[in-house]
Structure formats: C-alpha cells, structure tokens
Amino acid sequence: MWHTGAVVSRAEARERTTARILEAARVQIAESGASALSTRAVAREVGLVSSALFRYFPTRDALLTALIAESYRRLGDTLDAVPRHRSPARRWTATALALRAWAREHPHEFQLIYGTPVPGYAAPPDTVPLAAAVARPFLEAGAREPVAGFEKVAAQMSELREVFDVDPAGGAAVLAELAALLGAITLELGGHFVGTADPADELYAALVARQVRTLGLR
Amino acid sequence: MWHTGAVVSRAEARERTTARILEAARVQIAESGASALSTRAVAREVGLVSSALFRYFPTRDALLTALIAESYRRLGDTLDAVPRHRSPARRWTATALALRAWAREHPHEFQLIYGTPVPGYAAPPDTVPLAAAVARPFLEAGAREPVAGFEKVAAQMSELREVFDVDPAGGAAVLAELAALLGAITLELGGHFVGTADPADELYAALVARQVRTLGLR
DNA sequence: ATCAATGTAGAGCACTGCTCTCGTTCTGGT
DNA sequence: ACCAGAACGAGAGCAGTGCTCTACATTGAT
C-alpha cells in the first residue's frame, strides 16, 4: 500500500474497467435486449477503442455469459430476500410473486436467463450452481413432503437430497412447478396471452394457488 | 391457358420465388437458429442478388414474421393430427407428448414461436388465431369441466366459450397447464435441467400425469 | 536499468441489413 | 397495337458489426 489517492494498481484498474464494461453492457441489454448488445457500442460508452474491449472479454459471447451469470445472481438474491413466512404456503406464494415481479421489471435479463439460448451455445457448467440458487427458495418452501407421481423423477435426481435436504419426490414436483411458473411468465412477456388471459395477474394467481394445493402446502 | 410447360405468369413466378425464399430461410433457421438468419445468405441460396430479396420481404423482420407464422401452422397441424382418443385423459397425454416431440425435433422453430421475441417487436395480431390453433387440441381434450380456483380468470376470458365451446374455468386451467408444458420444454431445450432432471422424460411424464389429475380428466 | 507482461490505438477484413439507381421485362388500359 | 407504368433483377454503396493484427506506451518485477 505505497500509493494513495487516485493512483491505483494495475489490477485495480483492470477490475474497475471490467466492472464499467459490465455495467454499460447491462444498461444496453436492459434497453433493447441481448441481440442488440454491441461490443463497439459498449466500448464507446466506456471510452475505449473497439479493439481494447477484447482484452477484457475475448469474445462477445464471453461478455454475454458474464451478464447471464450476473442476472442469475440478481434473481437469486431477489428471491432470497423474500421473507420466510412461517407458513410454507405463504412463502411459496410470496416467492412465486417475487419471481414474476422481477421478470416484469427486468424482462430482458429474464430472457437472458430463460430465453432462447445463443446459437452455438452450450450451457457452461458454472451456471448450474447459479440455477440452483434460483431454485433453492422454491425448494425450501415447497418440497416438504413427497408428492405422489414423482417418485421416478426423484430417483433420477437423488443427489438433490444431499445438497438441499429436501424430500426428493417433493423436490421433483417443485421443479415441475417452477417450470410452470417460468412458462407462464415467458408466455406473458412474449405477449402470448393477448386476447385471452391478458393481463395475466389472475391467471398467475390461480396457478400459484393450484400449486399450493398440489404440493400439499399449508 | 394459352401457355404450357415452363412459361409462367408473373404472379406465379413471384409466388414460387417467395416459396423458395421461405424454404431456404427455414433450412437456415433449422440449422442454426433465428439469430443466424441472413438475408444475404438466403438470397445467395435462392440465386438472387442480395438486394432483390427485399422485393419479396421488405425487411429481415418481415421474413422472420412469415417464418413464425409458418412454424405456428406446422405445430398446430402436428397437434391436430394427434388421434382423438375416446378418453380425454389419453388424448391430453398424447397431445402433450406430441408437443414435446415436435419441440425436440424442431427446437429452433419452437424457439421462434415461444423463445425470446425480437427486439423492437410487438406481437402481430394475425398470430393470435395461430396461437389459438395450437391451444385448441388442448382445450378440446382438457376443458371438460370447470376447475376450482380459475373462476376469476374465466370471467376475464369469457369470449373463449363463444369460440371454442368449452367450459371457461376449465379453459383457463388448461391455459395454465399449457404454459406449464411450454415452460418445461423451454427449460429442457435450454439445458436448464442438466444436473437435475436430465433427460427430462420422467419429469415430463410425471408433469402430464399430474395435469390429468388436476384437470379432472378420465 | 532491463525486460516481459499488460494495455491502448488504429487500420483492416469479412460480413451484415438495407438503400438507391440503373436497365430490362412484363402487364393492363386504351 | 401501342405505350405508360409497374414489377423485377443487378450492382454499387453506406453504415454498422465482431474480431484480428500490428505498432506503440506504460507498468511491475527482477
């Protein structure tokens, strides 16, 4: 720590620039979606020449991947901040509503996670724990007891018990219900409910209530 | 009918070229997704100079929209071809399985319909009947009787009864369950089940079985 | 003081969606 | 039968993209 004031070490400067790049990219995505993310525009925003950006992210996809991870974390944190009601039914409901609210507030980030994957893309393995962080609040709230009909799925994903200490058959059912929530939100964001259940508030509420019954929550 | 053989009217030629463009575009999308669709590449394939293609589709988005409509129709036809079992439960199951099978066979077309919408996009109103054609087989199979908890949604989408002659509260529940199926398929195609319920056959089967119970099908 | 790592700048490549202009070819109305 | 006008293809061109390569500057460790 020789230096004081504005003088920063090389490592620090790199970190800062990386953070500024990520922020500029996130703003761009929030405005017009992932497909509109331009490395050149980001570089301009940050005050770098276009080629310099590639010292920080070797490829556009790498930048996108970093943003995906960031969005995962943000969503996970949001769901984690949902108060732990005593009643599992209430906690499930609150978590499900928080999920939809976040998706509606950050539609492009939601699409970044659950939307169409990029063309050549294969799910990088480091997103698995991030996806688990999103699922955890739902598992904690919903996987109290086994749910009939999900035994075979439970056998397949038996390692779930080790990580989360939940009932496997309940966990499998929770996973299916999480897919249902994400499906409903995807349709809503995509405008697929126009002409039927739009706005989707009532449908979503009815769906969540049905899940509480199906999962045997009280 | 003066002309025989290869001589064709201008209108016919236009139709044929349009069809060839659509086909080449569909092939391109089936191979590498919508984001990889290049008007120039399509034009090359069809044997047109790049600018000539814009005589047929004024913009890349217009071409994409046409492809979306086509995919909608294909999926609708596929679901329509599912045999009408006597038992609603069996028909629901068969239709749901056909949906997943089609999605796995044509993942990019599925994403075209239900994936991330294009950036500036607003759902063109002419896709509404196409979306309805996809929902119809499910409504016919699943919306036999009212489902408790969906009354308020039913009130919202009362016009459904006029078009489809189904119970509104049953129809609303079916819509929610269709969203669940699409959500599960979206997660599967996106690789989100890796590490848990992958392959997703068992999970999907358990989900469908649960739906049959929830909807009160026999 | 030296030297390799790290960074920036800038030119350049191949590609994209799209526009404009130019000739040609066909069509409908008189 | 003619001819204006629409329809169409060819080609050049523009502004933008992701990304690479080379040349030069700065920094940190030796």
Side-chain angles (χ1 to χ4, degrees):
Chain A
M1 278 286 196
W2 306 269
H3 305 300
T4 60
V7 182
V8 292
S9 77
R10 198 138 196 171
E12 283 172 26
R14 178 164 240 280
E15 250 178 78
R16 290 188 196 194
T17 308
T18 306
R20 287 176 59 213
I21 291 174
L22 281 172
E23 194 188 326
R26 227 192 46 240
V27 169
Q28 236 184 73
I29 281 195
E31 278 170 2
S32 21
S35 64
L37 177 73
S38 151
T39 60
R40 292 178 109 112
V42 170
R44 272 194 298 270
E45 188 73 22
V46 180
L48 287 176
V49 87
S50 70
S51 61
L53 188 137
F54 292 91
R55 299 276 180 186
Y56 296 86
F57 295 92
T59 199
R60 196 190 97 118
D61 272 13
L63 176 54
L64 261 176
T65 302
L67 289 166
I68 291 176
E70 213 179 76
S71 298
Y72 256 124
R73 257 176 256 118
R74 285 163 177 256
L75 174 55
D77 290 351
T78 301
L79 298 182
D80 229 34
V82 170
R84 276 117 173 103
H85 296 94
R86 272 157 242 97
S87 140
R90 293 192 57 174
R91 183 168 178 203
W92 176 273
T93 304
T95 310
L97 292 179
L99 173 64
R100 182 166 97 111
W102 187 87
R104 286 162 58 98
E105 283 166 26
H106 312 90
H108 294 298
E109 291 189 52
F110 179 87
Q111 300 282 19
L112 209 54
I113 305 178
Y114 296 108
T116 309
V118 292
Y121 163 100
D126 50 320
T127 66
V128 172
L130 298 172
V134 170
R136 203 185 64 234
F138 288 97
L139 288 166
E140 288 181 4
R144 323 290 289 194
E145 345 178 333
V147 175
F150 284 85
E151 298 83 6
K152 289 179 80 170
V153 196
Q156 189 182 356
M157 38 189 279
S158 55
E159 77 254 35
L160 221 156
R161 164 154 246 158
E162 302 157 20
V163 184
F164 282 129
D165 187 39
V166 296
D167 180 90
V174 162
L175 214 65
E177 297 299 356
L178 181 52
L181 294 176
L182 294 171
I185 293 170
T186 297
L187 289 187
E188 180 184 6
L189 292 184
H192 286 90
F193 283 144
V194 176
T196 53
D198 179 62
D201 303 65
E202 296 291 355
L203 184 113
Y204 198 80
L207 166 60
V208 172
R210 196 272 301 150
Q211 294 182 322
V212 168
R213 290 197 300 275
T214 303
L215 293 173
L217 307 180
R218 257 153 297 164
Chain B
M1 277 288 198
W2 305 270
H3 303 302
T4 58
V7 181
V8 292
S9 78
R10 199 138 193 173
E12 281 172 27
R14 178 164 240 278
E15 249 178 79
R16 289 188 195 191
T17 308
T18 306
R20 286 175 60 211
I21 290 174
L22 282 171
E23 193 188 326
R26 227 191 46 238
V27 169
Q28 235 184 75
I29 281 195
E31 277 170 2
S32 23
S35 66
L37 177 74
S38 151
T39 61
R40 290 179 112 110
V42 170
R44 273 194 297 273
E45 187 72 25
V46 180
L48 287 177
V49 86
S50 71
S51 61
L53 187 136
F54 292 91
R55 302 269 183 195
Y56 296 85
F57 295 92
T59 197
R60 196 191 98 120
D61 272 14
L63 177 54
L64 261 176
T65 302
L67 289 166
I68 292 176
E70 214 178 77
S71 298
Y72 256 125
R73 257 176 257 118
R74 284 163 179 258
L75 173 56
D77 291 351
T78 300
L79 297 183
D80 229 36
V82 170
R84 276 116 172 104
H85 296 94
R86 272 156 243 100
S87 140
R90 292 192 57 174
R91 182 169 178 200
W92 177 273
T93 304
T95 310
L97 292 179
L99 173 64
R100 181 165 99 111
W102 187 87
R104 287 164 56 99
E105 282 167 26
H106 312 89
H108 294 298
E109 292 190 51
F110 180 87
Q111 300 281 20
L112 208 54
I113 305 179
Y114 296 108
T116 310
V118 292
Y121 160 104
D126 51 320
T127 66
V128 171
L130 298 172
V134 170
R136 204 185 64 232
F138 288 96
L139 288 166
E140 288 182 3
R144 324 289 289 193
E145 347 180 331
V147 175
F150 284 85
E151 298 83 6
K152 291 178 80 170
V153 197
Q156 189 182 359
M157 39 191 276
S158 56
E159 77 254 36
L160 221 156
R161 164 155 245 163
E162 303 157 18
V163 183
F164 282 129
D165 186 40
V166 298
D167 180 272
V174 162
L175 215 64
E177 297 300 357
L178 180 52
L181 294 176
L182 294 172
I185 292 171
T186 297
L187 290 187
E188 180 184 5
L189 292 184
H192 286 90
F193 284 142
V194 176
T196 53
D198 181 63
D201 303 65
E202 296 291 356
L203 184 113
Y204 197 80
L207 167 59
V208 172
R210 196 272 301 148
Q211 293 183 322
V212 167
R213 289 198 300 275
T214 303
L215 292 173
L217 306 181
R218 259 153 294 159

